[in-house]
């Protein structure tokens, strides 16, 4: 059969990175205990090629190779987003704006349900019963403070609502507990937690599947906070214009992408729990006193692709070079926030969570001419935006919104911080929200001075009062805006002649 495109087949995605010269094949033996993760973390921070560890110490019977930084910024300084573009079939020259536009392009389109096929690459090898020993797999230790080996950081957690036709795909971390069990974070208001609660009420353990090395576009949609009740695989179909091919699990009625590298399936217990974490998380901290007790995943089968299956991993941390918890979670929450604001008639051009703010802030770019027609003011406008975003799940992990004008590029942090620093008056231009759900993993919430699960949110108005009803009363003093076109053209034409 012909090889599918990179966004539909993880192995083709890896080959595409290799042909993009954006992959490093590491054939030397590397230790999954910290060494793999340290190399991956440094690869994010230096924006180097994605490391493919072809010779992981302790790998056996085709389990497994490891790919780090699948969603990191690419090593090509001119096109840093080409690795993200490869996930969704966009040209390598695409911008973050193109990526967000693409992820929203299926909104309003008819969902395209997946098709069920008899078998696929993920069925080439199967382990059951005593052949399952998770402690014998080279599951990586990602940070010296981690409480376990996190085998699940880039797979798709597949769960189905017990009574409604809703199959949710998301990414939720899980670490190896013992021979046949994992333990992982199940955190409200995430959909996996909402659906888990329904199983608790039904009194039955929740069937699960974790599809690792799944089609890259499916990983993207799994990381996207689509509305409650939306079956992610149908949104993937609408994005691609064709149904995704799924195969049935061996031990339950869930379906997984046929082309996945590794599938772990079983039931998530509604009674058994265990200590989970600490885990080096997306804000760059691993709190040593993290007392997370989470549900236990009982593993009933592992199936995997031949040719040495590849386990993708994410090593979250400081976004000095962003990792997938910034490039996926931040960017895809930005997409849903933009969608929500535009659907509610707000004059929003784009939204983005700057990596320099560890994707805890989001810049909301306003079309100022349209803003004038609302005949509004900073307080009403900012409160309206805060009420919309901070009371919805897609805004859960954002604690500061910056309302900026269309002269500001939300994807350029220097623009964003210039407008925040110079136009947002302390004590008058920030509107606080203490009665909204907080993102509990943000350090000033989990280990801060105040409440832990509510509040700590703010909307910062970065527009001067007159921008709400007229043209800006200033000339911006930079090369782009401070000089007439003919001067700029002359300067650019003679730049090399000046030897500058
Ligand atoms: C891309 C990505 C997303 C992640 C995560 C990770 C990576 C790489 C790792 C590395 C494992 C770190 C933790 C970080 C951790 C986390 C927890 C809460 C909020 C944000 C992150 C969590 C997680 O462990 N639990 C959780 O519930 N959601 C996570 N998301 C966000 C969700 O995938 C995202 O929110 C989706 O939209 C969910 O789908 P849904 O809308 O519910 O259908 N992980
Ligand atoms: K999702
Ligand atoms: Mn969902």
């Amino acid at each position: 059969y012909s090889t599918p495109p990179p966004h539909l087949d993880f192995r083709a995605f890896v080959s595409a990175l290799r042909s993009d010269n954006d992959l490093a094949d590491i054939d030397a033996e590397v230790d999954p205990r910290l060494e793999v993760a340290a190399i991956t973390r440094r690869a994010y921070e230096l924006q180097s090629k994605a490391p493919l560890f072809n010779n992981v110490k302790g790998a056996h019977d085709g389990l497994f190779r490891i790919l780090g930084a699948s969603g990191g910024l690419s090593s090509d300084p001119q096109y840093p987003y080409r690795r993200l573009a490869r996930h969704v079939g966009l040209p390598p020259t695409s911008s973050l704006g193109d990526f967000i536009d693409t992820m929203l392009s299926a909104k309003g389109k008819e969902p395209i349900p997946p098709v069920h096929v008899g078998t696929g690459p993920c069925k080439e090898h199967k382990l059951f019963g005593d052949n399952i020993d998770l402690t014998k797999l080279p599951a990586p230790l990602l940070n010296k403070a981690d409480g376990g080996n996190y085998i699940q950081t880039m797979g798709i957690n597949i769960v189905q609502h017990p009574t409604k036709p809703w199959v949710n795909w998301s990414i939720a971390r899980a670490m190896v507990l013992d021979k046949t069990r994992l333990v992982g974070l199940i955190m409200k208001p995430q959909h996996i937690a909402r659906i888990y609660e329904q199983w608790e009420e039904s009194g039955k353990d929740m069937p699960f599947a974790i599809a690792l090395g799944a089609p890259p576009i499916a990983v993207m949609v799994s990381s996207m906070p689509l509305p409650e009740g939306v079956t992610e695989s149908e949104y993937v179909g609408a994005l691609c214009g064709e149904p995704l091919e799924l195969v049935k699990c061996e031990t339950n009625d869930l379906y997984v992408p046929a082309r996945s590298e590794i599938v772990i399936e079983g039931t998530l217990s509604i009674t058994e729990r265990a200590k989970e974490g600490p885990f080096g998380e997306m804000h760059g901290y691993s709190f040593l006193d993290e007392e997370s007790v989470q549900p236990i995943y009982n593993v009933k089968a592992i199936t995997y692709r031949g040719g040495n299956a590849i386990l993708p991993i994410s090593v979250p941390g400081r976004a000095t070079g962003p990792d997938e918890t910034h490039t996926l979670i931040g960017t895809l929450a930005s997409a849903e926030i933009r969608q929500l604001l535009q659907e509610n008639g707000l004059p929003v051009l784009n939204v983005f969570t700057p990596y320099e703010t560890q994707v805890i802030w989001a810049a909301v770019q306003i079309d100022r001419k349209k803003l004038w027609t609302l005949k509004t003011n900073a307080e009403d406008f900012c409160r309206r935006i805060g009420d919309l975003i901070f009371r919805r799940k897609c805004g859960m992990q954002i604690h500061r919104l910056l309302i900026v004008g269309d002269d500001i590029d939300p994807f350029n942090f220097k623009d964003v911080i210039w407008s925040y620093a110079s136009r947002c008056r302390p004590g008058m231009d920030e509107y606080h929200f203490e009665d909204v759900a907080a993102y509990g993993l943000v350090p000033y919430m989990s280990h801060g001075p105040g409440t832990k699960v509510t509040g700590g949110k703010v909307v910062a108005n970065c527009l001067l009062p007159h921008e709400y009803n007229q043209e800006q009363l200033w000339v911006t003093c930079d090369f782009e805006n401070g000089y007439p076109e003919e001067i700029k053209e002359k300067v650019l034409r003679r730049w090399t002649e000046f030897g500058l």
Side-chain angles (χ1 to χ4, degrees):
Y1 44 67
S2 66
T3 306
H7 64 280
L8 288 176
D9 178 85
F10 187 82
R11 197 99 21 129
F13 169 79
V14 170
S15 303
L17 292 192
R18 187 177 288 116
S19 63
D20 289 350
N21 194 25
D22 197 18
L23 183 94
D25 276 296
I26 299 170
D27 299 327
E29 183 182 81
V30 182
D31 195 334
R33 179 174 171 70
L34 293 175
E35 195 183 6
V36 160
I39 294 166
T40 301
R41 176 109 292 271
R42 188 161 156 77
Y44 292 123
E45 293 174 9
L46 298 185
Q47 291 178 18
S48 74
K49 298 176 182 177
L52 176 62
F53 303 97
N54 290 312
N55 181 1
V56 175
K57 186 179 171 200
H60 60 280
D61 304 321
L63 287 178
F64 29 62
R65 293 188 280 169
I66 294 179
L67 174 68
S70 53
L73 294 190
S74 85
S75 51
D76 180 341
Q78 206 180 2
Y79 301 119
Y81 309 114
R82 64 188 304 169
R83 216 175 288 171
L84 298 179
R86 279 287 185 198
H87 276 77
V88 294
L90 278 176
T93 52
S94 302
S95 67
L96 274 175
D98 298 332
F99 175 66
I100 289 178
D101 292 346
T102 300
M103 292 309 294
L104 291 175
S105 62
K107 291 283 183 180
K109 278 189 188 160
E110 275 304 301
I112 297 184
V115 292
H116 295 163
V117 294
T119 187
C122 75
K123 296 291 190 182
E124 286 162 5
H125 298 272
K126 300 179 183 179
L127 300 174
F128 301 99
D130 278 349
N131 293 333
I132 297 172
D133 186 343
L134 296 164
T135 63
K136 292 275 188 308
L137 296 179
L141 181 64
L142 300 179
N143 181 292
K144 68 182 181 186
D146 278 5
N149 296 336
Y150 276 82
I151 193 168
Q152 157 53 11
T153 55
M154 275 306 285
I156 298 176
N157 299 63
I158 298 174
V159 296
Q160 175 151 10
H161 190 282
T163 57
K164 291 180 189 154
W166 175 23
V167 181
N168 199 74
W169 289 9
S170 65
I171 297 187
R173 75 189 197 210
M175 62 180 234
V176 173
L177 183 63
D178 59 28
K179 197 167 176 292
T180 62
R181 300 186 304 171
L182 306 173
V183 58
L185 183 62
I186 303 294
M187 176 177 165
K188 279 186 265 188
Q190 300 293 68
H191 290 156
I192 190 169
R194 301 289 258 288
I195 290 175
Y196 178 75
E197 281 176 340
Q198 299 300 315
W199 284 93
E200 280 184 301
E201 281 178 26
S202 76
K204 283 183 288 181
D205 287 347
M206 175 167 81
F208 80 87
I210 299 174
L212 294 143
I217 194 164
V219 172
M220 279 297 169
V221 175
S222 300
S223 308
M224 189 172 179
L226 291 173
E228 188 165 327
V230 171
T231 289
E232 275 82 2
S233 62
E234 299 184 354
Y235 192 80
V236 175
L239 275 180
C240 299
E242 62 176 332
L244 211 51
E245 290 187 349
L246 308 184
V247 291
K248 189 180 163 309
C249 280
E250 303 294 316
T251 63
N252 61 41
D253 294 336
L254 293 172
Y255 283 79
V256 298
R259 314 196 69 84
S260 304
E261 293 284 326
I262 302 166
V263 177
I264 301 174
E265 51 179 272
T267 55
L268 190 59
S269 171
I270 59 168
T271 52
E272 299 164 320
R273 289 173 175 268
K275 185 175 178 321
E276 189 262 348
F279 178 69
E281 257 298 356
M282 65 184 280
H283 302 115
Y285 299 78
S286 178
F287 284 102
L288 308 180
D289 61 353
E290 188 173 297
E291 283 303 319
S292 163
V293 175
Q294 297 294 332
I296 288 177
Y297 289 81
N298 285 296
V299 175
K300 302 274 192 281
I302 297 175
T303 71
Y304 58 102
R305 189 165 181 168
N308 280 328
I310 304 170
L311 178 85
I313 63 168
S314 173
V315 186
R318 288 197 56 194
T320 37
D323 60 65
E324 294 78 11
T325 61
H326 318 118
T327 59
L328 273 61
I329 305 180
T331 313
L332 295 165
S334 305
E336 278 296 314
I337 289 167
R338 178 181 113 184
Q339 176 70 18
L340 180 65
L341 292 171
Q342 290 177 338
E343 272 174 0
N344 281 274
L346 287 149
V348 170
L349 295 169
N350 231 325
V351 176
F352 182 60
T353 49
Y355 299 139
E356 295 82 349
T357 71
Q358 210 64 35
V359 306
I360 300 171
W361 299 4
V364 178
Q365 186 193 35
I366 301 298
D367 178 329
R368 289 179 291 179
K369 283 210 171 43
K370 285 198 181 143
L371 177 63
W372 302 341
T373 65
L374 298 184
K375 302 205 182 319
T376 184
N377 58 67
E379 168 128 31
D380 295 346
F381 191 61
C382 291
R383 287 227 162 274
R384 185 166 166 214
I385 289 179
D387 278 331
L388 261 178
I389 298 305
F390 290 148
R391 301 186 195 285
R392 296 294 182 86
K393 177 175 160 305
C394 62
M396 181 264 275
Q397 70 237 351
I398 308 298
H399 269 258
R400 171 170 270 116
L401 288 166
L402 300 173
I403 310 303
V404 301
D406 42 41
D407 60 317
I408 298 298
D409 173 1
F411 301 106
N412 175 347
F413 187 63
K414 286 185 176 170
D415 269 15
V416 171
I417 201 68
W418 172 63
S419 74
Y420 181 43
S422 57
R423 297 187 222 173
C424 178
R425 186 195 183 287
M428 293 182 79
D429 273 322
E430 296 203 291
Y431 302 95
H432 295 269
F433 290 75
E434 284 303 324
D435 66 339
V436 295
Y439 181 13
L441 296 183
V442 172
Y444 54 66
M445 297 310 293
S446 64
H447 289 77
T451 54
K452 309 231 173 287
V453 292
T454 53
K457 299 207 172 189
V458 61
V459 180
N461 170 49
C462 305
L463 293 164
L464 297 177
H466 74 266
E467 293 184 82
Y468 278 79
N469 51 42
Q470 66 185 85
E471 287 285 355
Q472 65 185 51
L473 292 172
W474 74 85
V475 166
T476 296
C477 305
D478 59 13
F479 180 72
E480 179 60 29
N481 297 287
Y483 305 90
E485 284 315 309
E486 66 274 12
I487 296 293
K488 287 196 291 185
E489 277 154 24
K490 191 174 176 190
V491 166
L492 291 173
R493 198 171 51 248
R494 299 184 64 193
W495 195 254
T496 42
E497 172 198 333
F498 300 141
L500 282 166

